[in-house]
Amino acid sequence: MENKLPNKDEKRDKQKPGMRQWVYGILASVLCILFVIWTSYYIVLLLIPVFIDIYITKFIPWASWKNVKNPRLRSILEWVDAIVFALVGVYFINTFFFQNYQIPSSSLEKSLLVGDFLCVSKLSYGSRSPMTPFSLPLMQHTIPFFDVKSYLEKPQVDYQRFSGGRAIEHDDIVVFNYPSGDTVALNRQNEDYYTICKEEGRANIWANKAKNGNIVYRPIDRRENYVKRAIGLPGETFELRNDTVFIDGKVQKEPENMQLLYCVQTDGTMIAPSIFEELVISDEDKAMIGVEDISKLDSAYAAQLGLKREKGNAGLLYSNVPLTKEMIKQLESRSFVWSIVKRNEYLKRRGAIEGHIYTQPPLYPVSYDRDIEYGDYPSIWIPKRGETIKFDKDVDYKVALYERCIKNYELNDFDYRDGKVYINGQQADSYTFKFDYYFMMGDNRDKSADSRMWGFVPEDHIVGKPLFIWLSLDKDKGWFSGKIRWSRLFTSGNKK
């Protein structure tokens, strides 16, 4: 009987492992051990015999698909092998080391711009364990075009942060999962669920599916990614007065590119579109700028508003102009610009004259009604792990302020009735926090949805720190008219 000769692939598979295979096998095993030491994921040790067999012993024909005679099928299997390998690699890198993040909104202008693509380091503050392990890489919560979840809700892994990172410091720019994004109305994903429930009523939100869509819950690491600046740290007291931040009663340095809304008064000259272009004001921001003819404004009234009047003329007033300190200098150099006043200051002066207070939309906690003027936020204590609050006075306010921390983030049963607090079924006069919390704000202060609107960011929501901008695209420009912002490429993603 004629013996069948083995083909080249079979011969290669049966050959004794060479030096390269030994190196690969040992290196893969050592990396597994180091990963287990770092994460305490002991189940990963099961991969060591797999790697040894792939590279050295070869008891299992792992590459047997290469022996398929049908060239078309073999080509398909090669593609499948490459895609699976790439997905596993991307999942591993994306979960533990680095992640891409695109700036979607103007909340950090002019520090980070809409269209900046950031390389985010998950090692900077210590990598976080994958809390929803069965999820597709590069998809936060939804598969594009299909509008279905990109993850399985079960199992859920308890929060753990691995060693090696440093603590968050004042003014760090931080990427985190949006805390208030635990519940989402799918047709209104850009709106805070708890705010619209406050404004329209929870029952109405759930009943009107045509308008609001399904109401869904998202696990912590599948919630929308946000990026803001860490202004208040655990255990500190935050306050905002007249657009100035106070931490523990001390004035804090402003970010270099902090942007506020201003009222710009001219002598009657229109501000040309080219000037707004020179100031790099986006089309979106230009659309919100208003202009008013105040030429006949009373001189005394103009003075009280911080405006100017000459020869019976008060000129034009542009409102809601977003400016940084550098942009203000550029505008002030124009001879036709008479005065530049903070929008929030202007509203306070006008309110004082009219006997009316211009108040902000509901701020955190939205369940506690307060009249807060623009540019202000009342003093608030930021929870810290191991520190205790007492429910001895101002209980209504403390419950509104810290209920989400105790109930939603630290997973306790919480009830408040007849002026008494009940935690896990027991009446409680105090509570000791399990997590550290942070107060985050955008540099574009008057156009940033941040901790002033939706509260504290718990430590288990922290994703990482932006390292650098690897790509920057201007959505208002064409590909042949300056769409790529070359000057921003490979600049720092954590600008002070």
Side-chain angles (χ1 to χ4, degrees), residues 105-112 114 228-229 255 257-261 282 284-285 288 321-324 441-450 452-453:
S105 70
S106 62
S107 69
L108 272 168
E109 297 221 3
K110 291 294 194 280
S111 299
L112 295 177
V114 175
K228 308 288 179 189
R229 193 179 294 277
N257 292 309
M258 188 182 81
Q259 182 169 274
L260 296 171
L261 295 180
S282 67
E284 179 185 345
D285 284 344
M288 63 178 284
V321 183
L323 300 171
T324 63
M441 291 178 69
D443 290 355
N444 193 3
R445 291 286 165 84
D446 294 324
K447 287 190 63 184
S448 173
D450 50 39
R452 293 170 292 178
M453 286 72 181

Side-chain angles (χ1 to χ4, degrees), residues 282-486:
S282 67
D283 290 348
E284 179 185 345
D285 284 344
K286 281 186 281 188
M288 63 178 284
I289 296 174
V291 60
E292 179 184 359
D293 183 354
I294 59 169
S295 58
K296 300 188 183 303
L297 193 67
D298 178 80
S299 58
Y301 190 59
Q304 287 178 293
L305 291 175
L307 303 178
K308 192 174 180 180
R309 180 179 171 87
E310 286 187 2
K311 299 178 182 179
N313 173 41
L316 296 176
L317 185 67
Y318 285 80
S319 58
N320 297 324
V321 183
L323 300 171
T324 63
K325 291 179 180 178
E326 183 60 35
M327 294 162 73
I328 290 173
K329 291 179 182 178
Q330 293 180 47
L331 265 184
E332 287 177 335
S333 66
R334 307 277 179 172
S335 60
F336 60 85
V337 174
W338 276 358
S339 60
I340 300 176
V341 182
K342 289 181 182 178
R343 189 277 310 265
N344 297 337
E345 186 178 330
Y346 173 83
L347 290 177
K348 287 181 178 180
R349 291 176 179 178
R350 184 170 173 177
I353 297 169
E354 299 172 352
H356 170 74
I357 297 177
Y358 289 89
T359 60
Q360 302 180 64
L363 298 180
Y364 183 82
V366 295
S367 59
Y368 193 84
D369 293 328
R370 297 171 294 176
D371 291 332
I372 303 175
E373 293 186 89
Y374 284 90
D376 294 344
Y377 190 90
S379 178
I380 184 175
W381 180 75
I382 305 166
K384 182 178 182 179
R385 186 195 306 123
E387 298 215 357
T388 302
I389 57 164
K390 293 184 177 180
F391 300 110
D392 51 357
K393 57 183 180 180
D394 301 323
V395 179
D396 288 351
Y397 179 59
K398 288 181 179 178
V399 166
L401 198 58
Y402 301 115
E403 178 181 3
R404 278 188 61 79
C405 301
I406 299 170
K407 181 180 178 180
N408 296 57
Y409 305 146
E410 302 193 3
L411 305 180
N412 296 283
D413 291 329
F414 188 94
D415 193 18
Y416 180 54
R417 61 181 185 271
D418 302 324
K420 296 180 180 179
V421 173
Y422 296 85
I423 299 177
N424 297 324
Q426 302 293 321
Q427 184 180 340
D429 297 323
S430 63
Y431 180 78
T432 301
F433 290 98
K434 302 173 186 175
F435 287 158
D436 282 333
Y437 293 81
Y438 301 88
F439 199 93
M440 304 287 189
M441 291 178 69
D443 290 355
N444 193 3
R445 291 286 165 84
D446 294 324
K447 287 190 63 184
S448 173
D450 50 39
S451 286
R452 293 170 292 178
M453 286 72 181
W454 36 255
F456 311 108
V457 177
E459 63 176 76
D460 64 343
H461 284 57
I462 301 297
V463 174
K465 176 182 178 180
L467 292 183
F468 60 87
I469 300 167
W470 64 270
L471 178 65
S472 184
L473 302 177
D474 189 337
K475 63 184 179 66
D476 297 331
K477 302 286 182 65
W479 286 105
F480 299 103
S481 58
K483 189 173 188 66
I484 300 177
R485 304 186 187 103
W486 295 101

Side-chain angles (χ1 to χ4, degrees), residues 165-179:
R166 67 168 178 82
I168 294 175
E169 298 175 354
H170 280 121
D171 294 328
D172 277 0
I173 294 178
V174 182
V175 175
F176 56 90
N177 295 116
Y178 176 39

Side-chain angles (χ1 to χ4, degrees), residues 251-268:
V251 175
Q252 299 300 294
K253 181 183 177 182
E254 296 176 347
E256 183 177 339
N257 292 309
M258 188 182 81
Q259 182 169 274
L260 296 171
L261 295 180
Y262 287 83
C263 294
V264 179
Q265 183 190 22
T266 75
D267 60 6

Side-chain angles (χ1 to χ4, degrees), residues 106-343:
S106 62
S107 69
L108 272 168
E109 297 221 3
K110 291 294 194 280
S111 299
L112 295 177
L113 307 181
V114 175
D116 283 349
F117 288 78
L118 307 175
C119 175
V120 178
S121 166
K122 294 190 170 184
L123 297 170
S124 295
Y125 305 124
S127 292
R128 181 181 61 181
S129 61
M131 305 165 85
T132 310
F134 294 108
S135 60
L136 293 175
L138 306 180
M139 300 179 194
Q140 184 61 19
H141 48 67
T142 305
I143 299 177
F145 307 113
F146 296 98
D147 288 332
V148 296
K149 294 178 181 177
S150 61
Y151 59 92
L152 297 179
E153 293 186 0
K154 294 182 179 180
Q156 285 290 303
V157 179
D158 290 340
Y159 163 69
Q160 180 185 359
R161 194 165 294 277
F162 307 131
S163 61
R166 67 168 178 82
I168 294 175
E169 298 175 354
H170 280 121
D171 294 328
D172 277 0
I173 294 178
V174 182
V175 175
F176 56 90
N177 295 116
Y178 176 39
S180 200
D182 54 357
T183 309
V184 179
L186 289 181
N187 287 359
R188 304 172 68 178
Q189 296 192 44
N190 291 330
E191 299 178 71
D192 179 70
Y193 168 79
Y194 297 96
T195 300
I196 62 177
C197 282
K198 166 75 174 177
E199 294 172 346
E200 302 176 25
R202 183 181 182 278
N204 294 330
I205 297 298
W206 281 74
N208 193 343
K209 185 172 287 190
K211 177 182 178 181
N212 304 305
N214 291 325
I215 311 300
V216 300
Y217 171 83
R218 285 175 179 159
I220 292 172
D221 57 346
R222 296 297 101 194
R223 295 169 193 170
E224 210 66 69
N225 283 330
Y226 272 34
V227 59
K228 308 288 179 189
R229 193 179 294 277
I231 300 298
L233 303 182
E236 295 181 338
T237 299
F238 168 89
E239 184 180 2
L240 185 67
R241 296 200 305 263
N242 298 321
D243 297 307
T244 300
V245 170
F246 292 80
I247 296 295
D248 294 334
K250 297 179 181 178
V251 175
Q252 299 300 294
K253 181 183 177 182
E254 296 176 347
E256 183 177 339
N257 292 309
M258 188 182 81
Q259 182 169 274
L260 296 171
L261 295 180
Y262 287 83
C263 294
V264 179
Q265 183 190 22
T266 75
D267 60 6
T269 303
M270 298 286 290
I271 300 178
S274 60
I275 294 178
F276 290 133
E277 289 287 335
E278 290 175 18
L279 294 172
V280 197
I281 294 178
S282 67
D283 290 348
E284 179 185 345
D285 284 344
K286 281 186 281 188
M288 63 178 284
I289 296 174
V291 60
E292 179 184 359
D293 183 354
I294 59 169
S295 58
K296 300 188 183 303
L297 193 67
D298 178 80
S299 58
Y301 190 59
Q304 287 178 293
L305 291 175
L307 303 178
K308 192 174 180 180
R309 180 179 171 87
E310 286 187 2
K311 299 178 182 179
N313 173 41
L316 296 176
L317 185 67
Y318 285 80
S319 58
N320 297 324
V321 183
L323 300 171
T324 63
K325 291 179 180 178
E326 183 60 35
M327 294 162 73
I328 290 173
K329 291 179 182 178
Q330 293 180 47
L331 265 184
E332 287 177 335
S333 66
R334 307 277 179 172
S335 60
F336 60 85
V337 174
W338 276 358
S339 60
I340 300 176
V341 182
K342 289 181 182 178
R343 189 277 310 265

